[in-house]
Amino acid sequence: MRVTPSALTPSTPAGSAVILSASFNQDASCLSVGYPRAGFAIFNCDPFGRFYAGSAAFPVSGSTNANQSQGNEAPSFSVVEMLFTTSLVALVGAGQQSPRRLQIVNTKRESTICELSFVSAILSVKLNRKRLIVCLEEHIYIYDIANMKLLHTIDTSPNPHALCALSPSSENCYLAYPPSTSGGSSGDLLLFDVINLQAVNIIQAHKSPLSCIAFSCDGTLVATSSDKGTVIRVFSVPTGAKLFQLRRGTYNANIYSIAFDISNKFVCVSSDTDTVHIYKLMTEAEKKAYETYMRRRSSGAASGSGSGGNMDILSTSPGGTGGLGSAGMDGTGASMKKTIGGILGTGFATIYNSRTPLASATSAVSSFLPNTLTEMWEPQRDFAFAKLPQQSKGFQNMCAIVGGQPPNSPSFGPTLDFDNTGLLDGGSGMSSTGPLQLIVVSACGFFYGYTLDSEIGGECVLVKEHSLLDD
């Protein structure tokens, strides 16, 4: 998350401290934050705590004489990116520091490993254990992270928001970005193999221009949103097959972030609506079990209570967006009863009772519609949601899901020893394997932690709140 001027609301006090950038590492176990004239800091996410703070002790090449004369004032950083939990950190300056210079530093030794200069401002940097990606407005540079050798350069259409994503995986090692619109759609997504240095697929993701891209931890899935922000789509990598279509809402919104959990079972989405939506990605077996359950309930409507009776609505999203509970679908009525969730929200609960003929008619009619209409008719809605505190409304934000179990065969690659950098003190190799948690970072300088019930869903409860601005 690179904070833009729009992240500051009219009510923000003049001269108040804000963050310039924030980003999770590849498994969301750590958070790096860049500050204006205050260096950068690295935090552990669970348990939360700051365990590194970069200050004026870090020499930043390209500083002006004016900045050097300010004594102990720390530099500003617009990009701070970690490589998992190693001591390797990529830095791009702001303010008095040149935004065209990339610094690769060893935070354990407080030293600079190398520096790279570019023809224009660096907008974003992405890393995994094989490659380092530098994104400018009209160019993408691919480096071998082991020796920082330039491998390939990609010329792109103007990309002022540095829209691109790099898979954290060393095996499924792909870069995704919007291709040139010449002869194609503005909503297309190009998959590029950064190991073999070749394009492998162009996915027709949306009709409108893309606004956000995110890979799963193992690089087998990629999620996208358009500038409308009403639908998030999940595709298989590298085939490009569309696997899921997730409905965020009816009204347009700016999507700030999309993130998978480590098991690829959940996706969280944050936007300027100040509500974070969480979706549960159901397998085909789970979908069929849920559909069977709904048919059985519909067939028993005649012997059941009226439409105003017990509707088994366990959770409801605000604003009528609803939530489709999808957990615990093992084919038994007792466990599947938990999965109903608020299907269309409180405003429509009486009309769309799961026991009424309308529910059955909706399912029956949609089976005869073309795919494009069926997607509009039966989108998958959120499984859970979280409301941001009042102090963070109007600010940019980003989200992640931590905890849970990783896939059977995670492919993050071997641990590299970058000049004996080792692990950062206080950091862990992977996200915790405890209960699922939703974590959110706001550009106003706060870190939030929410509980996430992986079985029932519903509203997430705020249990942690920490300032990123405290000394």
Side-chain angles (χ1 to χ4, degrees):
M1 176 178 68
R2 183 170 182 168
V3 180
T4 63
S6 61
L8 305 181
T9 62
S11 59
T12 304
S16 61
V18 295
I19 63 177
L20 290 180
S21 66
S23 64
F24 294 114
N25 66 342
Q26 289 78 3
D27 61 9
S29 60
C30 297
L31 168 70
S32 55
V33 179
Y35 299 98
R37 298 177 300 281
F40 70 97
I42 297 175
F43 299 83
N44 198 59
C45 291
D46 186 27
F48 181 85
R50 184 172 66 178
F51 57 85
Y52 183 84
S55 63
F58 253 142
V60 179
S61 298
S63 300
T64 64
N65 293 332
N67 184 63
Q68 294 172 348
S69 66
Q70 292 176 358
N72 294 326
E73 183 178 279
S76 302
F77 294 105
S78 62
V79 174
V80 184
E81 293 287 342
M82 298 178 63
L83 177 63
F84 288 90
T85 51
T86 69
S87 298
L88 185 97
V89 177
L91 301 173
V92 177
Q96 298 291 340
Q97 284 73 48
S98 171
R100 297 186 297 107
R101 178 168 285 124
L102 170 65
Q103 222 183 359
I104 308 298
V105 301
N106 182 331
T107 56
K108 187 175 182 179
R109 296 188 174 185
E110 296 268 331
S111 62
T112 299
I113 298 174
C114 71
E115 292 186 350
L116 300 172
S117 295
F118 297 87
V119 296
S120 61
I122 301 168
L123 301 183
S124 71
V125 178
K126 311 292 182 183
L127 308 91
N128 65 21
R129 297 189 188 277
K130 293 287 188 180
R131 297 291 183 258
L132 181 143
I133 307 298
V134 180
C135 185
L136 312 185
E137 183 169 351
E138 296 184 350
H139 305 281
I140 295 177
Y141 297 90
I142 302 173
Y143 289 86
D144 184 338
I145 200 169
N147 53 26
M148 294 308 297
K149 177 183 177 182
L150 178 63
L151 301 176
H152 191 69
T153 301
I154 301 173
D155 295 330
T156 66
S157 296
N159 186 12
H161 301 295
L163 186 59
C164 68
L166 177 67
S167 166
S169 170
S170 296
E171 295 180 7
N172 301 308
C173 199
Y174 296 99
L175 173 70
Y177 63 94
S180 172
T181 56
S182 176
S185 169
S186 59
D188 288 349
L189 178 73
L190 191 149
L191 293 179
F192 190 92
D193 184 338
V194 294
I195 299 298
N196 298 309
L197 303 177
Q198 62 183 6
V200 294
N201 205 346
I202 294 182
I203 302 172
Q204 296 179 347
H206 300 267
K207 293 183 179 179
S208 301
L210 299 177
S211 65
C212 193
I213 308 169
F215 278 101
S216 61
C217 292
D218 61 1
T220 61
L221 302 174
V222 63
T224 63
S225 67
S226 73
D227 59 5
K228 291 185 177 180
T230 56
V231 171
I232 290 85
R233 294 191 173 105
V234 179
F235 302 91
S236 174
V237 175
T239 65
K242 184 171 67 175
L243 303 179
F244 303 97
Q245 177 156 288
L246 314 174
R247 173 70 66 181
R248 185 210 55 80
T250 304
Y251 299 101
N252 292 359
N254 293 322
I255 303 298
Y256 289 143
S257 69
I258 303 174
F260 291 84
D261 79 313
I262 199 169
S263 67
N264 294 348
K265 293 181 180 178
F266 295 90
V267 172
C268 59
V269 179
S270 71
S271 67
D272 61 359
T273 64
D274 302 320
T275 298
V276 179
H277 299 271
I278 300 99
Y279 303 86
K280 190 167 187 179
L281 305 182
M282 295 181 287
T283 64
E284 287 302 319
E286 289 173 332
K287 289 179 183 178
K288 290 178 180 178
Y290 176 75
E291 292 168 358
T292 300
Y293 175 63
M294 291 296 291
R295 285 196 297 269
R296 289 175 179 174
R297 290 182 59 86
S298 298
S299 64
S303 59
S305 60
S307 62
N310 178 17
M311 293 173 289
D312 298 321
I313 300 298
L314 301 182
S315 62
T316 304
S317 295
T321 57
L324 178 61
S326 57
M329 292 185 286
D330 59 3
T332 65
S335 62
M336 292 184 66
K337 193 172 183 179
K338 298 179 180 179
T339 71
I340 302 302
I343 294 180
L344 289 177
T346 55
F348 299 91
T350 302
I351 298 175
Y352 199 95
N353 188 319
S354 57
R355 295 183 178 182
T356 63
L358 178 58
S360 179
T362 299
S363 178
V365 171
S366 64
S367 65
F368 295 99
L369 295 175
N371 289 337
T372 54
L373 294 180
T374 302
E375 290 172 355
M376 297 172 60
W377 191 272
E378 290 186 308
Q380 182 173 334
R381 296 185 178 272
D382 61 355
F383 166 76
F385 66 94
K387 299 293 292 183
L388 296 183
Q390 183 66 34
Q391 63 197 7
S392 291
K393 292 189 175 182
F395 288 87
Q396 283 178 251
N397 54 67
M398 65 179 187
C399 60
I401 298 175
V402 297
Q405 296 292 334
N408 294 332
S409 300
S411 53
F412 292 100
T415 300
L416 298 182
D417 184 9
F418 291 95
D419 193 21
N420 298 315
T421 56
L423 292 176
L424 285 164
D425 294 335
S428 58
M430 292 289 288
S431 298
S432 66
T433 56
L436 289 179
Q437 298 180 62
L438 171 71
I439 55 177
V440 182
V441 174
S442 171
C444 69
F446 278 90
F447 175 99
Y448 303 109
Y450 296 81
T451 60
L452 174 56
D453 191 320
S454 62
E455 294 300 321
I456 299 178
E459 183 169 5
C460 300
V461 178
L462 178 64
V463 293
K464 300 177 184 177
E465 180 177 319
H466 302 280
S467 173
L468 301 174
L469 306 177
D470 294 337
D471 294 333

